[in-house]
């Protein structure tokens, strides 16, 4: 009977101990996870006037928190893609000589439609809509 | 050399706090002298380089300011304006790399001399944990100057961590302090580098050193087989310790030579809107894993190649850590004929993959 009481108290102490540890660990872990960003979601940005961009060139712009690459092709047309490589998150660049999008981190190539054509990238780059109104360029998500 | 215990200061202290456990720990150990004695010094060199890291790290802390708009500038300030700033920063970078190198040499020498056998299993386990902590030290410290190379290496490294099954996303956010590598990541890495890791490292290092000091040096088979009269020993203190210090001095000179003749480039400041430059490479001690991941096809069986690679490295790491406990057909792996080949394979794999990573 005496042993039982000891056993009971040990169990109680054990449960209390685990509870105490959990009550310390849980807030610590929650603290370490950053709160959700309150930045408004962006659906379009202004990218300036057409004449700012030479033919066969590109620029990386900030679309909310995401980098977007705006390319002016030889034909004078514009296209825009997410500038984040789908492989390991590096930022891509436009190659004027090969007319491709390159990720220099691991030599991944995309064509001017954003399709992954060689190297490790597993998926195409997300495309953005480019519209030109009165010489002003606007980049927006495909959903608008 | 006069014995430490003969000094008046020692006697004064001993009368009051009984230093006998300390002297016992210091004097009881004997170091065997044989053709492999040189490997006994590798752990000491690693320890010395760690001491250099602590010392130079504390000095750098006096000027370093973490933050997206201040980290790079403060390192620039240390390098260009602070007296001997270039020296302290370069010693810190070089010593970090050499520390990992010597930790690897120390680990493999323990492996091949079978020093991890009973009763030293825990010394091996604690040593391996120290190596992992050391590598995380390197990974977190690499980002602190906030330059372009480090920025993208961290992006890639933390993205790979995100591929870990089940906890990947959570781990990535925990490491980055958000969805992307930003100033929040820098603050976090600074916290890891100067607070969390030093605390964890100190605990395991103390355990590791206490075990080494209590259990004494492991003797390789070739030495234990010798008849007693042919076994030569020197005392750990002061004979071996003095040789240790001499070697530390040589390492310090080598460190200074590397610092002066081959300083580390700070590079250009990280810009989250700039394209990744060519030649993004992780630090050399991650290269073999990184290169292996590159060779894996997109899918192996039903899982992604990258996830498969991470799981394989994770499993290999766990096996390596518990190596002294593994039994095959009731026989310890250490005593089997395969043991030697496992070590050779591990070294060859690491060296070849690292070389390919740098040459390709």
């Amino acid at each position: 009977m005496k042993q039982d009481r000891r056993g009971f108290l040990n169990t109680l102490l054990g449960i209390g101990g685990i509870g105490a540890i959990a009550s310390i660990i849980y807030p610590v872990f929650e603290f370490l996870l950053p709160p959700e960003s309150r930045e408004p979601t962006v659906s379009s940005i202004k990218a300036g006037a057409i004449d700012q961009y030479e033919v066969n060139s590109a620029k990386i712009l900030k679309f909310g928190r995401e980098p977007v690459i705006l390319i002016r092709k030889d034909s004078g047309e514009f296209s825009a893609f997410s500038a984040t490589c789908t492989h390991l998150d590096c930022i891509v660049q436009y190659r004027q000589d090969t007319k491709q999008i390159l990720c220099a981190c691991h030599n991944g190539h995309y064509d001017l439609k954003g399709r992954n054509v060689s190297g490790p990238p597993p998926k195409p780059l997300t495309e953005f809509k480019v519209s030109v109104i009165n010489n002003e360029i606007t980049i927006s998500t495909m959903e608008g | 050399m006069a014995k430490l215990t003969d000094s008046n200061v020692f006697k004064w202290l001993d009368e009051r706090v009984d230093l006998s456990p300390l002297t016992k720990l210091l004097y009881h150990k004997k170091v065997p002298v044989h053709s492999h004695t040189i490997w006994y010094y590798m752990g000491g060199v690693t320890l010395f380089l760690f001491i250099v890291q602590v010392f130079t790290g504390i000095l750098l802390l006096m000027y370093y300011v973490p933050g997206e708009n201040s980290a790079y500038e403060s390192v620039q300030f240390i390098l260009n304006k602070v007296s001997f700033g270039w020296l302290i920063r370069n010693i810190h970078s070089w010593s970090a790399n050499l520390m990992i190198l010597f930790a690897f040499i120390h680990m493999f020498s323990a492996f091949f001399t079978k020093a991890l056998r009973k009763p030293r299993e825990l010394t091996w386990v604690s040593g391996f944990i120290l190596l992992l902590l050391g590598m995380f030290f390197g990974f977190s410290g690499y980002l602190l100057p906030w330059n372009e190379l480090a920025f993208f290496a961290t992006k890639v490294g933390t993205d790979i961590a995100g591929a870990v099954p089940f906890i990947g996303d959570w781990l990535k956010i925990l490491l980055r302090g958000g969805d992307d590598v930003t100033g929040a990541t820098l603050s976090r890495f600074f916290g890891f580098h100067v607070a969390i890791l030093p605390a964890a490292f100190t605990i395991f290092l103390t355990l590791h050193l206490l075990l080494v000091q209590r259990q004494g040096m492991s003797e390789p088979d070739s030495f234990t087989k010798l008849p007693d009269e042919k076994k030569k020993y020197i005392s750990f203190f002061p004979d071996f310790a003095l040789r240790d210090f001499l070697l530390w001095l040589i390492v310090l000179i080598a460190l200074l030579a590397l610092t002066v003749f081959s300083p580390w480039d700070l590079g250009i400041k990280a810009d989250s809107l700039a394209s990744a430059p060519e030649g993004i490479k992780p630090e050399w001690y991650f290269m073999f894993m990184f290169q292996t991941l590159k060779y894996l096809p997109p899918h192996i069986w039903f899982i992604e190649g990258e996830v498969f690679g991470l799981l394989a490295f994770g499993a290999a790491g766990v096996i390596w850590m518990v190596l002294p406990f593994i039994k095959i057909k009731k026989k310890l792996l250490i005593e089997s004929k395969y043991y030697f080949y496992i070590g050779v394979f591990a070294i060859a794999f690491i060296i070849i993959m690292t070389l390919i990573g740098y040459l390709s």
Side-chain angles (χ1 to χ4, degrees):
Chain A
M1 191 63 203
K2 203 176 176 186
Q3 199 54 44
D4 278 351
R5 183 196 294 198
R6 174 165 292 191
F8 173 73
L9 286 175
N10 274 341
T11 312
L12 212 61
L13 210 63
I15 294 169
I18 292 167
I21 291 169
S23 68
I24 294 169
I25 289 176
Y26 177 71
V28 169
F29 272 93
E30 285 295 305
F31 178 86
L32 287 173
L33 289 176
E36 294 281 318
S37 159
R38 298 210 186 277
E39 271 181 60
T41 41
V42 177
S43 58
S44 72
I45 55 162
K46 297 256 184 260
I50 293 183
D51 47 23
Q52 284 180 346
Y53 299 88
E54 283 174 31
V55 173
N56 190 24
S57 75
K59 193 179 175 188
I60 292 171
L61 304 157
K62 213 172 170 188
F63 193 94
R65 280 174 20 200
E66 195 186 351
V68 163
I69 186 163
L70 176 67
I71 300 166
R72 187 166 194 192
K73 295 184 236 180
D74 279 343
S75 59
E77 284 173 55
F78 286 93
S79 28
F81 305 95
S82 159
T84 308
C85 180
T86 54
H87 176 221
L88 288 174
D89 237 13
C90 285
I91 296 178
V92 297
Q93 55 183 282
Y94 175 65
R95 288 295 300 252
Q96 289 173 314
D97 49 351
T98 56
K99 303 197 191 336
Q100 278 189 324
I101 301 166
L102 164 78
C103 177
C105 276
H106 304 104
N107 212 18
H109 291 85
Y110 302 87
D111 65 12
L112 291 186
K113 288 188 169 154
R115 292 176 299 207
N116 45 321
V117 285
S118 74
K123 284 185 290 192
L125 296 170
T126 312
E127 194 174 355
F128 285 75
K129 197 160 84 187
V130 183
S131 37
V132 181
I133 303 163
N134 296 335
N135 272 345
E136 280 287 319
I137 307 166
T138 306
I139 303 174
S140 52
T141 53
M142 279 305 192
E143 302 86 53
Chain B
M1 193 178 136
K3 262 191 132 181
L4 183 73
T5 44
D6 294 338
S7 78
N8 285 334
V9 178
F10 185 90
K11 282 178 189 155
W12 189 92
L13 276 170
D14 192 35
E15 249 175 65
R16 285 155 182 85
V17 285
D18 181 21
L19 294 172
S20 60
L22 200 69
T23 49
K24 206 179 150 212
L25 202 63
L26 212 57
Y27 283 106
H28 90 105
K29 199 167 96 172
K30 281 195 211 136
V31 180
V33 180
H34 50 73
S35 57
H36 297 298
T37 301
I38 179 126
W39 302 114
Y40 291 143
Y41 293 95
M42 298 303 138
V45 171
T46 315
L47 174 66
F48 170 67
L49 292 165
F50 177 70
I51 296 168
V52 171
Q53 284 311 89
V54 173
F55 185 69
T56 50
I58 290 171
L59 289 177
L60 290 172
L61 259 181
M62 303 291 137
Y63 290 102
Y64 177 76
V65 189
E68 232 171 324
N69 298 316
S70 56
Y72 182 85
E73 287 75 5
S74 68
V75 177
Q76 235 175 4
F77 181 74
I78 291 172
L79 286 173
N80 300 329
K81 296 272 160 59
V82 179
S83 303
F84 294 109
W86 60 274
L87 182 72
I88 303 299
R89 191 256 166 171
N90 275 301
I91 289 181
H92 196 72
S93 306
W94 265 115
S95 175
N97 283 283
L98 291 180
M99 183 178 100
I100 303 284
L101 176 69
F102 275 97
F104 268 105
I105 296 173
H106 177 48
M107 180 178 76
F108 278 109
S109 65
F111 180 95
F112 285 112
T113 53
K114 297 186 177 178
L116 52 155
R117 276 183 293 200
K118 189 183 170 188
R120 295 185 179 76
E121 301 98 323
L122 290 179
T123 321
W124 171 264
V125 173
S126 59
F128 185 68
I129 293 172
L130 283 171
L131 177 69
L132 296 182
L133 289 173
M135 288 167 84
F136 193 30
F137 249 124
F139 183 62
S140 57
Y142 193 49
L143 180 69
L144 299 188
W146 198 244
N147 58 25
E148 200 183 33
L149 278 177
F151 175 77
F152 282 106
T154 307
K155 249 172 131 54
V156 172
T158 48
D159 207 60
I160 291 175
V164 175
F166 307 116
I167 56 160
D169 284 336
W170 177 81
L171 189 66
K172 189 163 114 177
I173 290 179
L174 190 80
L175 284 170
R176 287 183 171 181
D179 292 324
D180 220 331
V181 175
T182 58
T185 320
L186 186 57
S187 302
R188 223 153 248 234
F189 274 39
F190 180 65
F192 291 139
H193 196 76
V194 306
I196 297 171
L197 289 172
F201 202 91
T202 307
I203 293 169
F204 284 98
L205 183 61
T206 310
L207 175 70
H208 192 72
L209 293 177
L210 275 176
L211 285 169
V212 172
Q213 208 56 28
R214 268 197 76 105
Q215 297 179 323
M217 297 306 204
S218 150
E219 298 174 1
D221 287 340
S222 55
F223 186 82
T224 40
K225 277 184 206 149
L226 289 175
D228 278 351
E229 65 275 12
K230 285 205 172 167
K231 286 182 183 169
K232 261 179 71 186
Y233 290 95
I234 54 171
S235 63
F236 172 73
F237 196 85
D239 295 355
F240 185 80
L242 283 173
R243 286 169 173 78
D244 241 349
F245 289 139
L246 183 65
L247 185 60
W248 290 13
L249 209 62
I250 294 169
V251 171
L252 182 65
I253 293 166
L255 196 57
L256 291 174
L258 284 168
T259 298
V260 172
F261 295 112
S262 181
W264 291 78
D265 194 12
L266 178 60
I268 56 172
K269 189 178 169 176
D271 174 2
S272 60
L273 279 185
S275 303
E278 278 179 51
I280 292 291
K281 286 190 168 76
E283 293 209 90
W284 63 267
Y285 39 87
F286 292 115
M287 186 54 112
F288 72 96
M289 291 189 265
F290 186 70
Q291 192 60 28
T292 313
L293 289 182
K294 271 199 199 172
Y295 282 128
L296 295 174
H299 288 278
I300 297 173
W301 296 319
F302 55 93
I303 43 177
E304 273 183 47
E306 214 167 81
V307 176
F308 178 86
L310 281 179
L311 287 176
F313 276 120
V318 171
I319 292 172
W320 192 255
M321 184 163 87
V322 298
L323 213 52
F325 304 103
I326 296 177
K327 278 183 181 168
I328 292 173
K329 290 181 190 163
K330 292 187 181 169
K331 197 177 161 194
L332 279 171
L333 182 64
I334 303 178
E335 306 301 347
S336 84
K337 59 183 176 188
Y338 306 113
Y339 180 73
F340 175 77
Y341 297 108
I342 293 172
V344 172
F345 173 78
I347 289 193
F349 182 80
I350 291 174
I351 293 178
I352 291 170
M353 280 299 176
T354 307
L355 285 178
I356 295 175
Y358 278 98
L359 299 176
S360 63

